[in-house]
């Protein structure tokens, strides 16, 4: 079964093709037959396409008139030229798309129909950067493959769609809730994959587990997972709430925003920029949103870089504590994504002081580039796992299950 996955973002798009056996889903992700990425850098006309297939890597500059033309060119590399891995696009059995916002309606992955497309377009009101990019990807693939090839939307919000009411209603006026202003939560594909993988690694039934999954990348969020469902999460109505992130502030006193707007020199767009692009690690350190550069600056004695990391860890520990309280106990803490998988000092710093919860890490294991491994001490009550998140694989699995059904 040939499964194509498309993960379309605002300025880039990643895609891969899996060849999966019909009868049984492999436990570990197989290597994709073909992988491609298009970058549309801001402020330039060109697009940059990178393709990797079994024997070849290709890099070209595209000058398509539109995103869909660039996507069509990317798909051509699947079935022609030196990167060819299939005879023709008709061999693709199903396509899976990451769709950021599924609102209150979409609790599971769903086959894309005109009604689903209309809903994704409507929800762009809540996710103005991501949902239009996801829709453009869906339409570009429809144009190439035609309507017969099923396309599946896998929503980042779906895993959080069973949050208890008290966890998703904001304590503002009740009219907010009626207007759809509530906590939705994001990174759900990653949180769900990590929860399932944690159960697999622990040899336990997911139903029996209380987990905190820490997705720490450029964007950061926590999920409290009980019996396989997210019961609390730090991101909210938008992906701005919660933890301190690369360039996003996470939660701040809303009174600050009122204060800045009252000052008169702060427009809504400027506020948006400040909170999403000029805050977090970048805003505090004045150096970068990339933690690797923050570490280098700390080594060189940069005080604001040290402060940025201290705030990051302070808020991460507080968030883990809050999730543990809502779970009423903890079986495993999971670290994933760019920072969670690679930054041993962040894992160590997050766990420091959480011994009272039964968390204790083995520093040798933590520093030994762990991947899909338990780094807790043998005696600790709580397991601490580092899991490589595999969102594309999670989307491919949803597609496989859809066709099997
Ligand atoms: P992601 O959004 O999951 O791709 O994560 C991207 C972020 O991961 C980057 O901005 C870096 O801050 C971080 N990252 C990647 N590798 C490392 C590393 N070896 N040490 C610290 N941070 C890292």
């Amino acid at each position: 079964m040939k499964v194509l996955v498309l993960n379309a973002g605002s300025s880039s798009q990643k895609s891969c093709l899996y060849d999966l056996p019909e009868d049984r889903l492999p436990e570990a992700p197989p290597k994709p037959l073909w992988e491609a990425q298009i970058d549309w850098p801001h402020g330039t006309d060109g697009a940059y396409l990178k393709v990797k297939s079994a024997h070849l890597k290709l890099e070209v500059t595209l000058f398509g008139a539109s995103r869909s033309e660039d996507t069509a060119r990317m798909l051509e590399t699947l079935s022609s030229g030196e990167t060819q891995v299939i005879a023709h696009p008709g061999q693709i059995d199903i396509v899976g798309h990451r769709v950021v916002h599924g609102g209150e309606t979409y609790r599971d992955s769903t086959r894309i129909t005109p009604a689903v497309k209309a809903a994704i377009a409507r929800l762009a009101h809540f996710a103005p950067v991501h949902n239009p990019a996801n829709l453009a990807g869906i339409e570009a693939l429809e144009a190439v493959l035609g309507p017969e090839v099923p396309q599946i939307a896998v929503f980042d919000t779906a895993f959080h769609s069973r949050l208890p009411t008290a966890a998703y209603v904001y304590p503002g006026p009740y009219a907010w809730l009626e207007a759809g202003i509530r906590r939705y939560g994001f990174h759900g594909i990653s949180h769900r994959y990590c929860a399932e993988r944690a159960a697999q690694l622990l040899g336990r039934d997911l139903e029996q587990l209380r987990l905190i999954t820490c997705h720490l990348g450029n964007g950061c969020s926590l999920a409290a997972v009980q019996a396989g469902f997210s019961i609390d999460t730090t991101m909210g109505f938008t992906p701005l709430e919660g933890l301190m992130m690369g360039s996003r502030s996470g939660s701040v006193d809303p009174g600050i925003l009122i204060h800045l707007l009252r000052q008169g020199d702060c427009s809504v767009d400027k506020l948006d920029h400040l909170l999403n692009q000029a805050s977090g690690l970048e805003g505090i350190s004045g150096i970068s949103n990339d933690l690797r550069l923050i570490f280098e600056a700390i080594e060189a004695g940069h005080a604001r870089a040290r402060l940025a990391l201290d705030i990051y860890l302070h808020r991460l520990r507080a968030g883990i504590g809050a999730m543990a309280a809502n779970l009423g106990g903890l079986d495993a803490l999971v670290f994933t994504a760019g920072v969670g998988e690679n930054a041993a000092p962040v894992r160590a710093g997050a766990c420091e002081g959480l011994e009272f919860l039964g968390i204790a890490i083995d520093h040798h294991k933590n520093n030994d580039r762990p991947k899909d491994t338990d780094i807790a001490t043998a005696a600790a009550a709580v397991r601490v796992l580092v899991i490589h998140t595999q969102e594309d694989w999670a989307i491919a699995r949803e597609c496989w299950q859809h066709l099997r059904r």
Side-chain angles (χ1 to χ4, degrees):
M1 183 191 297
K2 303 275 190 304
V3 180
L4 183 73
V5 174
L6 194 80
N7 187 341
S10 56
S11 60
S12 71
Q13 168 179 288
K14 288 185 193 158
S15 187
C16 61
L17 183 77
Y18 287 100
D19 190 11
L20 303 180
E22 307 272 339
D23 54 336
R24 156 192 78 75
L25 205 48
E27 220 172 73
K31 210 174 147 29
L33 286 183
W34 167 99
E35 291 167 80
Q37 174 162 349
I38 306 182
D39 289 296
W40 291 280
H42 290 298
T44 60
D45 288 340
Y48 302 96
L49 169 68
K50 287 187 210 151
V51 182
K52 191 165 101 184
S53 65
H55 309 294
L56 200 88
K57 280 187 186 170
L58 175 81
E59 285 192 28
V60 281
T61 305
L62 304 174
F63 291 98
S66 66
R67 233 179 130 108
S68 73
E69 275 186 24
D70 291 339
T71 304
R73 173 71 187 95
M74 177 186 90
L75 293 175
E76 274 172 25
T77 69
L78 268 171
S79 55
S80 66
E82 293 160 303
T83 56
Q84 177 178 13
V85 288
I86 51 176
H88 54 86
Q91 286 182 303
I92 296 169
D93 295 293
I94 189 164
V95 182
H97 294 267
R98 175 178 178 222
V99 179
V100 166
H101 216 306
E104 295 186 321
T105 317
Y106 296 105
R107 295 176 151 228
D108 291 301
S109 308
T110 187
R111 172 127 187 214
I112 296 168
T113 60
V116 173
K117 283 201 301 181
I120 295 170
R122 252 194 331 273
L123 287 162
H125 184 51
F126 291 160
V129 177
H130 292 100
N131 272 32
N134 301 152
L135 200 54
I138 292 167
E139 284 174 345
L141 275 157
E142 264 176 9
V144 175
L145 300 177
E148 290 79 30
V149 178
Q151 300 206 48
I152 305 295
V154 184
F155 297 98
D156 242 346
T157 45
F159 185 54
H160 305 294
S161 66
R162 291 164 179 86
L163 288 177
T165 324
Y168 74 72
V169 180
Y170 285 107
Y174 193 78
W176 282 6
L177 182 62
E178 292 167 327
I181 298 177
R182 46 157 287 179
R183 180 182 308 285
Y184 290 102
F186 297 90
H187 290 146
I189 300 169
S190 173
H191 285 299
R192 179 173 169 193
Y193 172 80
C194 288
E196 290 173 356
R197 183 76 176 125
Q200 200 180 47
L201 291 171
L202 296 171
R204 300 266 308 269
D205 186 351
L206 187 54
E207 289 280 309
Q208 310 296 326
L209 288 173
R210 291 163 304 178
L211 307 168
I212 298 173
T213 47
C214 310
H215 181 107
L216 308 176
N218 245 325
C220 302
S221 69
L222 304 179
V225 183
Q226 190 165 45
F229 291 107
S230 167
I231 61 149
D232 202 2
T233 188
T234 55
M235 282 181 170
F237 175 59
T238 72
L240 186 53
E241 193 183 350
L243 300 175
M244 175 174 175
M245 314 185 205
S247 65
R248 278 173 255 171
S249 62
S251 295
V252 294
D253 178 355
I256 298 171
L257 317 186
I258 298 169
H259 169 77
L260 291 174
L261 289 170
R262 279 216 179 108
Q263 299 270 300
D265 64 341
C266 194
S267 64
V268 172
D269 284 346
K270 189 168 170 198
L271 206 52
D272 185 337
H273 173 80
L274 287 179
L275 295 170
N276 280 298
Q277 269 108 45
S279 294
L281 293 172
E282 166 117 38
I284 295 295
S285 70
I287 293 173
S288 171
N289 64 340
D290 189 324
L291 195 63
R292 287 165 289 200
L293 300 183
I294 303 288
F295 285 151
E296 280 177 28
I298 292 173
E299 281 290 303
H302 196 287
R304 275 173 53 185
R306 178 73 251 174
L307 174 63
L309 181 63
D310 287 347
I311 305 170
Y312 186 95
L313 292 175
H314 174 82
R315 290 180 162 235
L316 178 54
R317 275 192 298 264
I320 292 171
M323 294 290 134
N326 281 335
L327 284 169
L330 186 61
D331 297 302
L333 178 66
V334 178
F335 288 100
T336 193
V339 173
E341 292 172 32
N342 297 300
V346 166
R347 293 190 296 263
C351 293
E352 206 179 280
L354 295 183
E355 292 81 6
F356 74 99
L357 288 175
I359 296 172
I361 60 171
D362 176 322
H363 290 283
H364 179 71
K365 288 183 187 163
N366 184 39
N367 291 323
D368 200 21
R369 297 177 175 274
K371 186 177 160 196
D372 289 14
T373 315
D374 183 359
I375 59 165
T377 61
V382 172
R383 309 327 302 157
V384 180
L385 304 172
V386 181
I387 294 180
H388 173 45
T389 194
Q390 309 248 22
E391 288 166 296
D392 290 345
W393 172 234
I395 294 168
R397 282 194 321 195
E398 291 282 319
C399 291
W400 187 91
Q401 276 152 359
H402 184 89
L403 276 193
R404 294 292 293 170
R405 278 199 292 272

